[in-house]
Each structure stands twice: as C-alpha cells, then as structure tokens.
Amino acid sequence: GLRMIGINVNEPVTDVVAWAQHFQITYDLVVDNDGRLSYQYMVRNLPITLFIGRDGLIRQIVYGEVSDSRLAAELAALLNN
C-alpha cells in the first residue's frame, strides 16, 4: 500500500485546514509546530519530499519541488520493492 502524509511546519492549524479545503487535499496532514518532526527527519529547507520504504527506511530525499515524472518514478520504485 501507499500512504502519503503532508507535514506543515510552523503554520497555524486553521491556515492548514483552509489550504487543504481550498486545494481539496485528501491525504493526511500533520502540523509540526514544535519542530520535532523536522529535527527527526533532518529537514533544513522546504519543500522536501521523503520517500520511505515499507521497512520504514528513507529511500530517497528530494529537495525542492518534485516534478510529476520524478514523483511517478520514485513511487513506482517503492511500490515494486
């Protein structure tokens, strides 16, 4: 299976909810107001995309925006393992 989680850093929950509704976001969203997730995953700049395997290990990190083709390729690689 595949699970996608969006993490918003230092954003008010009301803003995140409004944004998610506006863009019809259907994946889970988390707000990292205390920086614990950013610290745990060594986030230095935003945006960042982490591709995590079924075993919980980070398989790929992409800094900056992710193109549709790159997203498709990384997801296919994860789902085929």
Side-chain angles (χ1 to χ4, degrees):
L2 173 70
R3 184 162 185 194
M4 191 165 141
I5 302 170
I7 301 173
N8 293 277
V9 179
N10 294 325
E11 296 287 337
V13 173
T14 54
D15 290 354
V16 173
V17 169
W19 174 83
Q21 290 173 343
H22 176 78
F23 289 102
Q24 300 177 344
I25 301 299
T26 58
Y27 53 84
D28 295 326
L29 293 172
V30 176
V31 177
D32 182 24
N33 281 333
D34 62 6
R36 281 189 292 161
L37 286 172
S38 296
Y39 178 79
Q40 181 178 356
Y41 289 100
M42 298 177 287
V43 174
R44 301 293 183 255
N45 296 308
L46 297 173
I48 183 174
T49 302
L50 302 167
F51 293 91
I52 301 172
R54 294 174 190 190
D55 55 6
L57 297 176
I58 297 172
R59 299 298 178 189
Q60 190 66 253
I61 300 173
V62 179
Y63 297 97
E65 293 185 27
V66 179
S67 67
D68 291 345
S69 60
R70 175 82 186 264
L71 180 61
E74 296 295 347
L75 291 176
L78 279 177
L79 294 173
N80 289 325
N81 286 332

